[in-house]
Amino acid sequence: MLSMQNFGDNGKMKDYHYTGPVEHRFSPYAFNGGTVLAVAGEDFAIVASDTRLSEGYSIHSRDSPKCYKLTDTTVIGCSGFHGDCLTLTKIIDARLKMYKHSNNKTMTSGAIAAMLSTILYSRRFFPYYVYNIIGGLDEEGKGAVYSFDPVGSYQRDTYKAGGSASAMLQPLLDNQIGFKNMEGVQHVPLTKDKAVQLVKDVFISAAERDVYTGDALRICIITKEGINEQTLPLRKD
Amino acid sequence: MALASVLNSDCADFSFDTCQPFGFGSEPGQSSLGFEARSLDGLSFSVKSALSAGDEDGVERKIEFLHGTTTLAFKFQHGVIVAVDSRATAGSYIASQTVKKVIEINPYLLGTMAGGAADCSFWERLLARQCRIYELRNKERISVAAASKLLANMVYQYKGMGLSMGTMVCGWDKRGPGLYYVDSEGNRVCGDLFAVGSGSMYAYGVMDSGLRQDLNVEEACELGRRAIYQATYRDAYSGGQVNLYHVHSEGWTRISQEDVLMLHQQYKDQA
């Protein structure tokens, strides 16, 4: 897509008499918005994303979820540049198949996270413009969340928000799930139903204040029984 | 090149051809090592525009890598003390307060992380692999000097292409305690005392005033802890927890992990 930099930049008055050459810059990236969130519990994990695909002032689609199922116990959420999200998930799927064929077993969440780190770093000098969060169950059946930066740095967390509204959601999660820096509060472990309710509330708030988040919410709940998907409408404006 | 050869071995179709003439020599946002943005010669995308997408809404959206830190290490009579903070920032957003900035290369070698988080963890993980290969081939542990040289040579091939890494390789080998500073500019220096990162100046102040050769282990740990704490107090890009390690003749030991807020209370009560 052509970068929009030449179209009436920043409200400056264009010079009517200018007829010389204009430099057009091609940007290989676009920002398609979207927010992803993942929460890990004792024996479950939740990965949720909104379903709005936007670019600039337009909405391309209201039904483009950003969670992709990788295995029966792992879901990845990718936001950022949609083109790179699609290619990256295709590459991960292919690598999962290769691993399955050579090692005769499915990749665990931790292994997928380590592999994704090297895949992202292999493009260190022309990065995948994607913010990834992997949610799933580890080998012991406990919930695991792995969050990444665009070039592959990753770590395991209990909860993480990524994408356009991440800076709004992360503090709320720090308060409600992490009980960070709160005095005199009892740390109750998070139940699955409470976590799902929290995720819904948090996205409703994000849709209020972030233009790139909205339309619908897709929640994937991962337990040892399998992956359960729910869809909830959000603000469409 | 090292990067291509490692990635080629497992995934034949997805290797990145690093011999191409373009390299993205810009690290957006903060760089604790003072890395400068470069403009490209030759073909393809200009550095700045390729890494900043979607400018039309007036907000500059750059791809943010994780950065910002304070790490330090110093030698004393009983080995090497390594102390780090645990904050990772992406621009002005704090991406995480619980990053592990000390990478355990093997049971007697540690590497610290400052600069680009992905660069440090990737190259030090590669260093761990190289150290293991050395051990298998030579039936002997690798020395700190050799390990740091391996790392320095690996990243030197990418000099000028935008890697951002400032690391200290700390260990104990047959020559005694070893401490080397290696960075993505190609520096590799041996020394008794280093602090790396955006908060390094604050840490140097505390360390220089308190360092003596005859410190015992307790006092040395406390000095490292205090230095990191003071750096997190004054540097906006450092914070979280203080992770402390001690490298001695038997290998390294993790001494403590303390939240900076707890330390603040503790020091306030002491004063």
Side-chain angles (χ1 to χ4, degrees):
Chain A
M1 284 288 292
L2 265 181
S3 153
M4 305 277 276
Q5 278 166 339
N6 300 303
F7 289 46
D9 26 349
N10 302 335
K12 290 200 289 261
M13 287 288 287
K14 272 210 146 139
D15 191 350
Y16 288 106
H17 303 289
Y18 184 69
T19 49
V22 178
E23 190 186 342
H24 288 265
R25 276 228 177 122
F26 167 68
S27 169
Y29 296 114
F31 181 67
N32 293 117
T35 307
V36 184
L37 190 134
V39 178
E42 188 54 44
D43 57 351
F44 66 92
I46 297 174
V47 181
S49 76
D50 71 324
T51 60
R52 174 175 288 179
L53 191 74
S54 38
E55 186 169 350
Y57 292 114
S58 321
I59 296 177
H60 286 314
S61 166
R62 295 194 190 275
D63 186 21
S64 166
K66 292 156 193 69
C67 317
Y68 301 90
K69 177 171 165 276
L70 296 178
T71 68
D72 287 330
T73 54
T74 318
V75 173
I76 188 171
C78 314
S79 68
F81 170 42
H82 193 63
D84 278 346
C85 296
L86 291 174
T87 307
L88 189 62
T89 46
K90 284 196 189 116
I91 289 178
I92 297 173
D93 280 334
R95 289 288 295 269
L96 281 172
K97 278 198 192 117
M98 282 158 62
Y99 183 96
K100 186 92 187 279
H101 287 133
S102 357
N103 301 90
N104 204 25
K105 69 185 237 234
T106 325
M107 274 188 103
T108 59
S109 297
I112 296 177
M115 178 184 76
L116 180 56
S117 174
T118 48
I119 292 175
L120 291 170
Y121 200 82
S122 72
R123 290 275 298 255
R124 169 66 176 78
F125 299 116
F126 182 10
Y128 288 111
Y129 184 8
V130 189
Y131 292 92
N132 294 290
I133 306 183
I134 290 181
L137 300 175
D138 65 11
E139 285 108 329
E140 296 160 22
K142 295 206 179 97
V145 165
Y146 297 92
S147 60
F148 294 77
D149 84 336
V151 273
S153 158
Y154 79 107
Q155 62 167 46
R156 186 170 172 176
D157 291 309
T158 318
Y159 55 88
K160 190 79 178 175
S164 57
S166 58
M168 283 181 228
L169 296 184
Q170 189 68 27
L172 189 53
L173 296 177
D174 282 333
N175 182 279
Q176 292 295 311
I177 306 180
F179 302 108
K180 291 273 172 81
N181 300 318
M182 299 210 297
E183 289 179 30
V185 182
Q186 215 182 2
H187 288 9
V188 279
L190 198 63
T191 60
K192 186 163 70 113
D193 297 322
K194 191 139 185 291
V196 172
Q197 194 49 49
L198 186 65
V199 166
K200 288 179 181 168
D201 290 337
V202 140
F203 263 93
I204 289 169
S205 305
E208 288 291 319
R209 291 291 182 174
D210 180 35
V211 301
Y212 295 114
T213 305
D215 292 333
L217 167 65
R218 174 73 67 90
I219 307 182
C220 302
I221 306 165
I222 306 153
T223 50
K224 62 179 193 306
E225 275 92 46
I227 300 179
N228 178 12
E229 283 186 12
Q230 290 178 20
T231 310
L232 179 80
L234 292 175
R235 285 183 77 112
K236 295 194 181 349
D237 60 358
Chain B
M1 291 204 170
L3 182 58
S5 65
V6 167
L7 297 160
N8 270 336
S9 51
D10 267 12
C11 45
D13 296 322
F14 307 118
S15 62
F16 174 65
D17 184 4
T18 51
C19 301
Q20 300 215 346
F22 67 95
F24 280 56
S26 143
E27 194 73 2
Q30 300 288 316
S31 172
S32 51
L33 308 174
F35 191 91
E36 297 296 316
R38 298 257 193 111
S39 59
L40 278 182
D41 50 2
L43 52 104
S44 64
F45 323 117
S46 149
V47 173
K48 287 215 170 72
S49 73
L51 287 179
S52 42
D55 264 348
E56 75 279 13
D57 49 1
V59 177
E60 243 223 10
R61 238 175 261 280
K62 292 191 274 206
I63 303 182
E64 302 288 1
F65 310 124
L66 303 181
H67 260 103
T69 195
T70 308
T71 60
L72 63 88
F74 61 88
K75 283 193 213 173
F76 70 120
Q77 61 172 332
H78 295 298
V80 189
I81 293 286
V82 181
V84 299
D85 75 321
S86 68
R87 176 174 288 187
T89 49
S92 63
Y93 177 66
I94 296 174
S96 173
Q97 295 267 57
T98 52
V99 179
K100 288 196 64 200
K101 295 190 189 180
V102 175
I103 290 144
E104 295 151 9
I105 297 171
N106 59 40
Y108 57 94
L109 267 182
L110 290 176
T112 62
M113 184 204 288
D119 291 333
C120 292
S121 51
F122 183 87
W123 289 108
E124 290 187 21
R125 204 165 153 226
L126 215 51
L127 176 65
R129 179 180 166 270
Q130 284 301 110
C131 291
R132 180 68 184 136
I133 290 174
Y134 179 100
E135 252 183 53
L136 289 168
R137 286 184 177 149
N138 301 92
K139 284 198 180 158
E140 167 181 84
R141 280 180 176 180
I142 191 170
S143 65
V144 186
S148 59
K149 194 83 179 221
L150 280 174
L151 182 61
N153 289 340
M154 281 195 283
V155 295
Y156 186 73
Q157 294 176 315
Y158 294 87
K159 184 173 161 71
M161 290 170 79
L163 290 185
S164 168
M165 185 191 81
T167 181
M168 293 179 287
V169 182
C170 328
W172 189 295
D173 56 25
K174 56 189 180 209
R175 285 191 235 155
L179 176 57
Y180 283 81
Y181 166 72
V182 178
D183 74 13
S184 48
E185 300 293 296
N187 288 316
R188 172 181 165 267
V189 284
C190 181
D192 291 336
L193 165 74
F194 291 110
V196 184
S198 51
S200 59
M201 291 301 126
Y202 308 108
Y204 271 128
V206 175
M207 271 206 293
D208 286 331
S209 54
L211 191 60
R212 299 179 326 260
Q213 270 310 105
D214 62 342
L215 288 169
N216 65 31
V217 180
E218 237 342 282
E219 290 170 341
C221 289
E222 188 48 38
L223 181 65
R225 200 178 287 131
R226 191 66 192 252
I228 295 283
Y229 162 73
Q230 293 298 148
T232 59
Y233 189 71
R234 280 293 176 180
D235 177 31
Y237 289 88
S238 305
Q241 293 138 8
V242 180
N243 284 315
L244 201 65
Y245 286 72
H246 174 213
V247 186
H248 45 80
S249 52
E250 315 294 310
W252 54 259
T253 324
R254 185 143 182 232
I255 305 281
S256 66
Q257 178 190 56
E258 266 142 358
D259 195 304
V260 161
L261 283 162
M262 303 292 163
L263 287 176
H264 181 76
Q265 268 311 111
Q266 191 187 318
Y267 293 135
K268 204 167 75 144
D269 296 335
Q270 275 174 9

